[in-house]
Amino acid sequence: QVQLVESGGGLVQAGDSLRVSCAASGRAFRGGTMGWFRQAPGKEREFVAASSWSEGSIHYADSVKGRFAISRDNSKNTLYLQMNSLKPDDTAVYYCAAGIPRDYSDSGQYIYWGQGTQVTVSS
């Protein structure tokens, strides 16, 4: 069992930066993929970024490429999402997920989920 707890969300202005974190506890999670998804009001949950522990690969949605960066601290079992040049369209609840997906962008293929952290970007 893996527990995921997100933190670091908040209210910022357009153009600002923010870093959200995801602390993983319980059974050490190795060999799989951890990712970030987001869901805005009235919209479906969408892929943001993913990091494969075993392959060492990183993937981003086109909408955040060049502005967001996913990273991890293995010693702390923590996943990060650094968000720069934030836009009002980035406003959403950001979720951390873990699993062994064949398609890293498919939320249905992730097993474990955090409770989410709200990120609001004002114009």
Side-chain angles (χ1 to χ4, degrees):
Q1 188 72 18
V2 174
Q3 293 81 40
L4 305 175
V5 179
E6 301 96 335
S7 62
L11 172 63
V12 297
Q13 293 185 336
D16 285 352
S17 297
L18 192 66
R19 188 179 77 166
V20 292
S21 304
C22 173
S25 61
R27 180 171 62 88
F29 191 81
R30 292 293 185 270
T33 297
M34 292 191 74
W36 288 98
F37 289 78
R38 67 186 182 186
Q39 187 166 17
K43 295 186 178 181
E44 294 186 354
R45 190 169 297 188
E46 66 173 359
F47 169 74
V48 175
S51 173
S52 170
W53 299 80
S54 58
E55 299 176 1
S57 61
I58 291 178
H59 309 277
Y60 295 101
D62 289 342
S63 59
V64 306
K65 199 171 295 183
R67 298 188 299 122
F68 290 11
I70 188 172
S71 63
R72 65 181 189 262
D73 184 335
N74 290 344
S75 66
K76 298 181 179 179
N77 268 1
T78 300
L79 183 75
Y80 302 101
L81 183 68
Q82 176 67 42
M83 302 181 288
N84 301 322
S85 301
L86 282 162
K87 306 174 182 179
D89 284 349
D90 295 319
T91 295
V93 176
Y94 283 72
Y95 295 92
C96 174
I100 310 178
R102 292 186 177 182
D103 179 355
Y104 55 83
S105 66
D106 184 353
S107 62
Q109 297 187 26
Y110 286 79
I111 302 171
Y112 304 104
W113 289 86
Q115 82 290 348
T117 185
Q118 176 71 47
V119 173
T120 303
V121 184
S122 64
S123 57

